[in-house]
Amino acid sequence: MRLFNRFSLLVGLLLIFQCAALNAQTTSASGYHVTKKIKLGGEGGWDYLTFDAKGNRVFISRGTHVMVVDADTGAVVGDIPETAGVHGIALVQDMDKGYTSNGRASTVTVFDLKTLKVLKQIPVGKNPDAIIYDPASKRVFTMNGAGQDATAIDVKTDTVAGTVALDGKPEFAAADEKGHVFVNLEDKSVVVEMDSQKLSVMNRWPLAPGEEPSGMAIDTKHHRLFIGCGGNKLMAVVDSESGKVITTLPTGSGVDANGFDAGTGFAFSSNGDGTLTIVHEDSPDKFSVVDNVPTQRGARTMTVDTKTHRVFLVTADFGPQPPATPERPRPRPSVVPGSFTLLVVGK
């Protein structure tokens, strides 16, 4: 009887160790995983999305309009029209206003954050793409892809304060909240530092070995920029004071957005191949890839809720890849109608 009990104990311990090993293999190193998939449906493509910490909402660009979604329930709680070719959304919480960059219309739509009512349309540079708010100058900046410049909008008067020539195709940007705005030039593999008050270029820094930068996030405390380089699948970490490339880290392919969460020290790269690369800031000069979390193909843009440490991404289901033609050497696959989905990644 005692021998049987010992044998049973050994078998039990073996099973426990096997289960622990299996869990170690299936649990991500960071603990992050897709916790929800919320099918939103609706028409239109998509680009950037922005988290509204005050209202606990996610603003999602949809080609001609902006969907507003409750971050907890996934319910669509509003919609902002008149945003032809919308790329991004910037929020000015202390003035209860939002701004969208409308690429096809070359305008910015101003809307009321509480009612979502459209307040004004502001003409800006040609084909505005990314849009950010700089609290130091109290200006919203649009990065105008075809115009190769940036437009500054005074949020008190909702009028254009000026334009900054960039000599390259701007992608995403970030502000250090001390009067400096940084923007990627995708075609030059360069980061430009702008003075947000004087509306002038201060510095132009090469990103080598990073190529074709797209997404950008910032750690304002430690003066670090996290830049997604889609040309060679790298995240470049740049000193925002000196312009020095501190290090580069491998990411998935098809990056279009980056995020940073000061509470966890994680920098994120959302990749179109269906992964979310997570890099940890071990120290201001040391960084390590912690994880490549499986998401879903096409989930290349994202936004971060730094209070709950959730990451929101969007994508859809795709049809077959069309054949390439001289006119369209890299055609996009069709989107399955009604399949547009919000992904929530958390612990």
Side-chain angles (χ1 to χ4, degrees), residues 51 63 74 83 93-94 109 115 124 134 178-179 182 234 242 257 322-323:
F51 182 71
T83 61
Q93 299 283 9
D94 57 348
T109 298
T115 65
V124 293
D134 170 49
K178 294 181 179 179
F182 306 90
L234 294 176
S242 69

Side-chain angles (χ1 to χ4, degrees), residues 143-273:
M143 308 304 149
N144 309 316
Q148 297 196 354
D149 53 23
T151 301
I153 296 170
D154 185 324
V155 298
K156 293 179 181 178
T157 61
D158 287 333
T159 58
V160 173
T163 303
V164 184
L166 297 173
D167 188 31
K169 183 180 181 295
E171 267 288 327
F172 210 75
D176 67 357
E177 301 179 2
K178 294 181 179 179
H180 308 105
V181 170
F182 306 90
V183 55
N184 293 324
L185 300 186
E186 185 180 33
D187 57 341
K188 302 292 178 69
S189 296
V190 160
V191 174
V192 171
E193 179 187 19
M194 295 186 288
D195 186 310
S196 64
Q197 293 281 3
K198 296 179 181 178
L199 298 182
S200 60
V201 171
M202 300 174 63
N203 289 293
R204 298 173 67 88
W205 297 318
L207 266 177
E211 299 174 357
E212 298 177 25
S214 54
M216 177 187 285
I218 188 168
D219 172 3
T220 56
K221 181 179 179 181
H222 298 114
H223 314 290
R224 297 293 180 258
L225 299 172
F226 303 94
I227 298 173
C229 300
N232 51 353
K233 299 188 288 187
L234 294 176
M235 179 188 288
V237 184
V238 176
D239 185 321
S240 65
E241 294 185 309
S242 69
K244 177 186 175 184
V245 177
I246 295 168
T247 189
T248 60
L249 302 112
T251 67
S253 63
V255 57
D256 202 21
N258 292 88
F260 180 70
D261 185 346
T264 60
F266 285 143
F268 302 95
S269 168
S270 53
N271 312 311
D273 64 3

Side-chain angles (χ1 to χ4, degrees), residues 8 70 94 168 177 189 277 290-291 303:
S8 300
D70 184 289
D94 57 348
E177 301 179 2
S189 296
T277 302
V290 176
D291 222 338
T303 188

